[in-house]
Amino acid sequence: MTSTADRLARQQESEEGIGSNQHVAKFYQQDYKTLHQRCLETGCLFEDDRFPATRTSLGYNVLGPYSSKSKDVVWKRPTELCSNPKFIDDGATRTDICQGGLGDCWLLAAIASLTLKEQLLTRVVPPGQSFTDGYAGIFHFQLWQFGEWVDVVVDDRLPTRDGKLLFVHSADSSEFWSALLEKAYAKVNGCYEALTGGNTIEGFEDFTGGIAEIYTMDKAPADVFKIIQKALRLGSLLGCSIDITSAYETEAITESKLVKGHAYSVTGAEEVHLREHPVQLVRVRNPWGHVEWTGPWSDGSREWNLVSEEKTKLNNVTDDGEFWMSFSDFVKHFTRLEICNLTPDTLSNDGEGCWNSYQFKGMWRVGSTAGGCRNNPATFSSNPQFVIRLEDVDDDPLDGEDGCTFLVGLMQKDRRLEKKFDRNLETIGFAIYEVPDQFKGLSNVHLGPDVLLRQRAVAMSSTFIDTREVCTRFRLPPGEYVIIPSTFHPHKNGNFVLRVFSEKQAATSQLEEDVDVELEEEEDIRESDVDPAFKHSFRQISGSDSEISVFELIAILNKVVSRRCDIKTDGFSLQTGRDIISLLDKDESAKLGLIEFHMLWIKIQKYLEIFKKYDSDNSGTMSSHEMRGAASEAGFHVNSEVLQVIVNRYADCQCGIDFDSFVGCLIKLEMLFKAFKTLDRGGLGKIELKLQQWLCLAL
């Protein structure tokens, strides 16, 4: 109940705009201004109890509390490391990011690219922070985390050994913004060790809120150089790397001084003329700040002597980790290219940020919405569903054919946080289907197997893979399509963010049924309408007071169902009996009279028919994935969130629902629906209760 309330509270905050680009959420509810002011008033430097200067913040295994690598680590403030520390000295530059003893070159490559975009950098690293004016040992940064922007507070105690920073540092030993940014990133991911290993695109996305594409260079489209140029022009962030074939090749340096298994950033793409012949060049940066390509077009190479105008502008002979190379060599030596496309509100300059973006947060839950891929026809349609309506075709299609270009990215949440629990990434992907005509324009539906399994997907993610995000570019004719994100195997819990970036405006929404009830009107039954045989049975059960208590009710229900071999049951619980009486007891006697018991019997007969219909394998139990359809046939329309609660409360460990649980669930639903509609006097779809009223209703 508490976790559900927390999730509902977060949903409400999201609806109010908290976590958006304009209204950043406070990570761990820590407010920078309040904490900063409190430190100034007390004269005490800030100490962050949510990310303490202890071994647990370093890591859990290689850097864990009992690891030799975490020994002799001393947490020091910059004021203890040098006489005149600076937050940013003469602007943030790529040389401010030098890798330390942590395998997070992917993150540093992203930070290095960030320094090329002042507007992006200012967003992530709020200005006005220093070690002089208003210094209180507290700093803050803004990061994009799984669909929302968060403001992350850190103290300035940094891990050191022998008086030197242990991890990222600036070439200028008195500058500390990059080390503090790395600490903020470690905080949101649980510890420093959680940052080991990754793709540059992950950092790109977390610094921009953008969506990333990955190109394998040996399969890249013919116009990939133009794609790079356009991406750079639009302010996108780009990275590249050379794949390794074994662990022994990690950070191995080739003869031409390229590092394998290492994250580089792409910072430029230009065309020069060599003896009047055009040559395509790309500029690449090594986040180490040194070790540069030594082949053609490298710093000071002879090719630069054969060009005139471009030499002064492009060739910068400095051992700073940045170098030029021909695009043909780039394709030959590098394996992967990563492009992070930005949202329209990330960059506000005219002409930048060409994409329209939409995002949804969702959950896969065992027994309700974790249906797995199309290979699992019995459960596939249980997955969350999202619709996109495409109307306008691209202005300038590359191949001249009309179509609507859009990107779909599916990201699984919080997997770095769960590394310390040895939980691996799930294998994820998505399928796209055309919406049948009878459902077009609707968003209050959930497409079932009768719709989805009768057609082929019109598009799919490039693969199902165990990465943080799967992203694929599509171009489809104008129309209405449903996107179904899933894990490859069913019955896998997880939280995800689904994002759609479209070149033209598109309409998107989650396909989800409206929560509502359609119950048959209860007949006005009189005692004379009741069958005499039923009356006789009732009198035998009820005894002299002609009413059935909850204990008598449970006894008779269990006696009846125990005689049936076509349904399985553990027996009706006392709680279910009390819910039944609460629903049907008209005079608040806490017992059922003849008419009330007769109404119950009619309900149970109806529920039995529905239960047997959805017990498709005649096992005597019903799969929890069938609960949506069964509840709907009984008159209760529930969405995925309500369905998840139902499964949590009523399904067994095998995601089965037996008959007594099925009846108990429907009785509870009817009781809650009727209570809500009684209190919703204005028919507005919401009620307001005082604490006492809420307790009386909920208990």
Side-chain angles (χ1 to χ4, degrees):
M1 174 83 70
T2 303
S3 60
T4 302
D6 288 340
R7 178 168 53 79
L8 294 176
R10 289 195 299 271
Q11 286 180 355
Q12 186 174 356
E13 288 180 350
S14 180
E15 291 170 0
E16 294 171 354
I18 298 175
S20 66
N21 205 341
Q22 296 75 29
H23 193 175
V24 181
K26 298 176 180 63
F27 191 68
Y28 282 145
Q29 301 300 315
Q30 290 176 301
D31 182 73
Y32 170 74
K33 290 183 178 179
T34 301
L35 293 171
H36 181 257
Q37 185 60 36
R38 185 182 301 161
C39 289
L40 291 178
E41 291 173 354
T42 61
C44 297
L45 296 180
F46 179 61
E47 294 189 6
D48 187 5
D49 59 355
R50 300 310 299 263
F51 196 63
T54 63
R55 288 188 179 186
T56 57
S57 296
L58 290 177
Y60 48 87
N61 185 16
V62 176
L63 292 172
Y66 304 106
S67 168
S68 60
K69 291 191 176 183
S70 66
K71 288 183 178 179
D72 304 322
V73 172
V74 180
W75 296 77
K76 291 189 176 184
R77 298 185 189 269
T79 52
E80 301 173 88
L81 294 172
C82 63
S83 58
N84 186 26
K86 298 180 178 64
F87 185 64
I88 296 180
D89 186 19
D90 196 24
T93 64
R94 299 186 294 281
T95 59
D96 296 344
I97 304 103
C98 300
Q99 189 170 356
L102 193 63
D104 61 349
C105 60
W106 61 274
L107 176 62
L108 309 190
I111 298 175
S113 294
L114 199 63
T115 64
L116 300 174
K117 312 288 182 183
E118 184 177 352
Q119 188 175 348
L120 293 180
L121 182 70
T122 302
R123 174 66 216 249
V124 175
V125 186
Q129 304 185 79
S130 77
F131 289 95
T132 53
D133 298 337
Y135 171 67
I138 183 172
F139 294 86
H140 69 127
F141 302 87
Q142 295 187 355
L143 304 172
W144 185 88
Q145 287 289 287
F146 308 110
E148 67 176 16
W149 283 95
V150 292
D151 190 79
V152 186
V153 169
V154 292
D155 62 33
D156 62 348
R157 294 178 295 177
L158 297 167
T160 70
R161 181 179 284 121
D162 299 327
K164 295 182 179 180
L165 291 178
L166 198 59
F167 304 130
V168 71
H169 54 279
S170 172
D172 180 352
S173 61
S174 64
E175 190 172 34
F176 291 93
W177 73 270
S178 59
L180 291 167
L181 174 56
E182 183 190 45
K183 181 173 184 178
Y185 203 80
K187 179 177 178 177
V188 299
N189 286 286
C191 63
Y192 278 95
E193 187 176 350
L195 307 185
T196 303
N199 294 322
T200 306
I201 56 172
E202 186 174 340
F204 283 169
E205 291 180 329
D206 289 349
F207 294 143
T208 66
I211 194 169
E213 300 176 83
I214 299 177
Y215 292 95
T216 303
M217 297 314 299
D218 60 356
K219 299 178 182 178
D223 57 352
V224 66
F225 182 76
K226 291 183 178 179
I227 291 175
I228 292 173
Q229 284 188 311
K230 183 177 181 181
L232 289 168
R233 189 167 60 250
L234 292 171
S236 302
L237 302 181
L238 290 82
C240 58
S241 60
I242 303 170
D243 285 352
I244 59 175
T245 56
S246 70
Y248 296 105
E249 288 189 319
T250 302
E251 297 194 343
I253 300 176
T254 67
E255 290 184 5
S256 54
K257 300 298 182 182
L258 293 178
V259 186
K260 292 185 176 182
H262 186 60
Y264 289 82
S265 49
V266 179
T267 60
E270 300 286 348
E271 191 173 275
V272 301
H273 290 81
L274 181 64
R275 295 195 180 99
E276 299 183 355
H277 295 290
V279 179
Q280 296 173 333
L281 302 179
V282 291
R283 187 174 62 204
V284 181
R285 184 176 190 280
N286 183 346
W288 285 350
H290 57 92
V291 185
E292 299 182 8
W293 159 256
T294 57
W297 299 100
S298 59
D299 288 4
S301 68
R302 61 186 182 85
E303 286 80 12
W304 290 106
N305 296 324
L306 302 177
V307 297
S308 54
E309 297 178 7
E310 295 97 340
K311 179 178 180 180
T312 304
K313 182 175 71 170
L314 302 180
N315 188 28
N316 179 27
V317 184
T318 307
D319 186 21
D320 58 359
E322 192 167 58
F323 54 86
W324 289 94
M325 64 192 307
S326 70
F327 183 64
S328 59
D329 277 334
F330 179 82
V331 172
K332 178 181 177 182
H333 290 280
F334 283 92
T335 313
R336 290 157 51 94
L337 170 69
E338 302 159 341
I339 301 176
C340 182
N341 303 282
L342 305 181
T343 61
D345 59 356
T346 303
L347 292 171
S348 58
N349 297 339
D350 292 340
E352 294 187 315
C354 65
W355 298 97
N356 301 286
S357 64
Y358 316 89
Q359 75 172 25
F360 303 92
K361 296 179 181 179
M363 296 185 292
W364 295 299
R365 288 294 179 267
V366 173
S368 57
T369 57
C373 69
R374 175 67 181 263
N375 295 345
N376 306 279
T379 56
F380 174 63
S381 63
S382 300
N383 287 298
Q385 303 175 1
F386 304 87
V387 68
I388 176 172
R389 299 178 181 92
L390 304 171
E391 296 181 357
D392 300 325
V393 298
D394 302 343
D395 289 331
D396 188 20
L398 294 176
D399 58 6
E401 295 185 9
D402 285 342
C404 306
T405 296
F406 63 102
L407 306 173
V408 178
L410 174 63
M411 178 182 292
Q412 50 187 320
K413 295 178 63 177
D414 300 327
R415 289 299 170 169
R416 284 193 182 274
L417 276 171
E418 296 183 352
K419 270 188 171 185
K420 59 185 175 184
F421 303 116
D422 201 27
R423 295 174 187 158
N424 297 321
L425 290 159
E426 296 293 347
T427 302
I428 61 171
F430 54 85
I432 302 177
Y433 293 82
E434 189 169 5
V435 175
D437 290 342
Q438 66 268 35
F439 296 109
K440 287 182 177 177
L442 302 177
S443 59
N444 61 339
V445 295
H446 187 90
L447 303 182
D450 57 325
V451 175
L452 296 176
L453 300 182
R454 291 180 180 176
Q455 59 172 309
R456 294 175 61 89
V458 297
M460 298 186 72
S461 54
S462 55
T463 183
F464 274 76
I465 191 170
D466 56 344
T467 58
R468 183 174 90 146
E469 183 175 41
V470 174
C471 179
T472 307
R473 178 186 290 248
F474 303 100
R475 193 177 63 190
L476 293 176
E480 195 164 324
Y481 303 92
V482 57
I483 305 170
I484 302 181
S486 72
T487 55
F488 184 76
H489 297 289
H491 317 307
K492 300 288 185 180
N493 283 327
N495 297 334
F496 67 85
V497 177
L498 181 76
R499 296 186 292 162
V500 177
F501 278 43
S502 61
E503 190 162 304
K504 293 286 189 163
Q505 287 279 352
T508 62
S509 63
Q510 183 166 4
L511 276 184
E512 194 60 272
E513 285 185 280
D514 293 332
V515 176
D516 200 3
V517 61
E518 296 177 8
L519 298 177
E520 297 177 2
E521 291 210 12
E522 296 176 354
E523 296 181 31
D524 185 14
I525 300 176
R526 300 179 182 179
E527 188 171 338
S528 58
D529 298 325
V530 179
D531 182 78
F534 188 90
K535 287 182 185 178
H536 178 71
S537 298
F538 175 79
R539 292 191 184 100
Q540 285 184 318
I541 300 167
S542 62
S544 59
D545 62 352
S546 295
E547 288 194 309
I548 295 178
S549 71
V550 64
F551 305 101
E552 293 168 325
L553 175 62
I554 294 303
I556 187 60
L557 290 177
N558 287 335
K559 184 177 181 180
V560 171
V561 297
S562 66
R563 295 172 179 169
R564 301 189 65 109
C565 59
D566 57 343
I567 58 174
K568 290 184 179 179
T569 175
D570 292 329
F572 284 82
S573 69
L574 195 59
Q575 182 59 51
T576 297
R578 285 174 171 148
D579 286 342
I580 290 173
I581 290 179
S582 178
L583 173 66
L584 298 173
D585 178 24
K586 302 297 184 182
D587 57 6
E588 296 191 63
S589 65
K591 294 182 179 182
L592 297 183
L594 172 64
I595 302 301
E596 295 161 340
F597 186 69
H598 186 264
M599 293 172 62
L600 170 63
W601 206 250
I602 294 174
K603 281 184 185 295
I604 289 180
Q605 293 299 317
K606 175 185 175 182
Y607 292 165
L608 179 60
E609 290 179 14
I610 296 173
F611 182 83
K612 289 180 64 62
K613 175 181 177 180
Y614 282 88
D615 175 16
S616 55
D617 60 356
N618 297 315
S619 64
T621 63
M622 186 177 68
S623 167
S624 62
H625 286 276
E626 301 288 352
M627 191 63 195
R628 186 194 295 265
S632 180
E633 188 158 330
F636 306 102
H637 303 291
V638 298
N639 62 14
S640 296
E641 287 193 29
V642 176
L643 185 61
Q644 287 164 13
V645 175
I646 288 174
V647 172
N648 291 342
R649 300 277 176 85
Y650 296 98
D652 61 24
C653 61
Q654 302 298 322
C655 297
I657 296 179
D658 58 17
F659 183 63
D660 59 278
S661 296
F662 180 68
V663 172
C665 174
L666 297 188
I667 291 292
K668 188 77 170 182
L669 281 173
E670 183 173 352
M671 184 173 67
L672 291 172
F673 270 115
K674 286 185 173 179
F676 185 91
K677 288 186 176 294
T678 299
L679 295 169
D680 180 20
R681 298 184 180 278
L684 301 176
K686 60 181 180 180
I687 60 176
E688 183 176 320
L689 298 175
K690 295 179 180 178
L691 179 59
Q692 175 184 309
Q693 295 172 318
W694 160 249
L695 291 175
C696 290
L697 187 63
L699 287 174

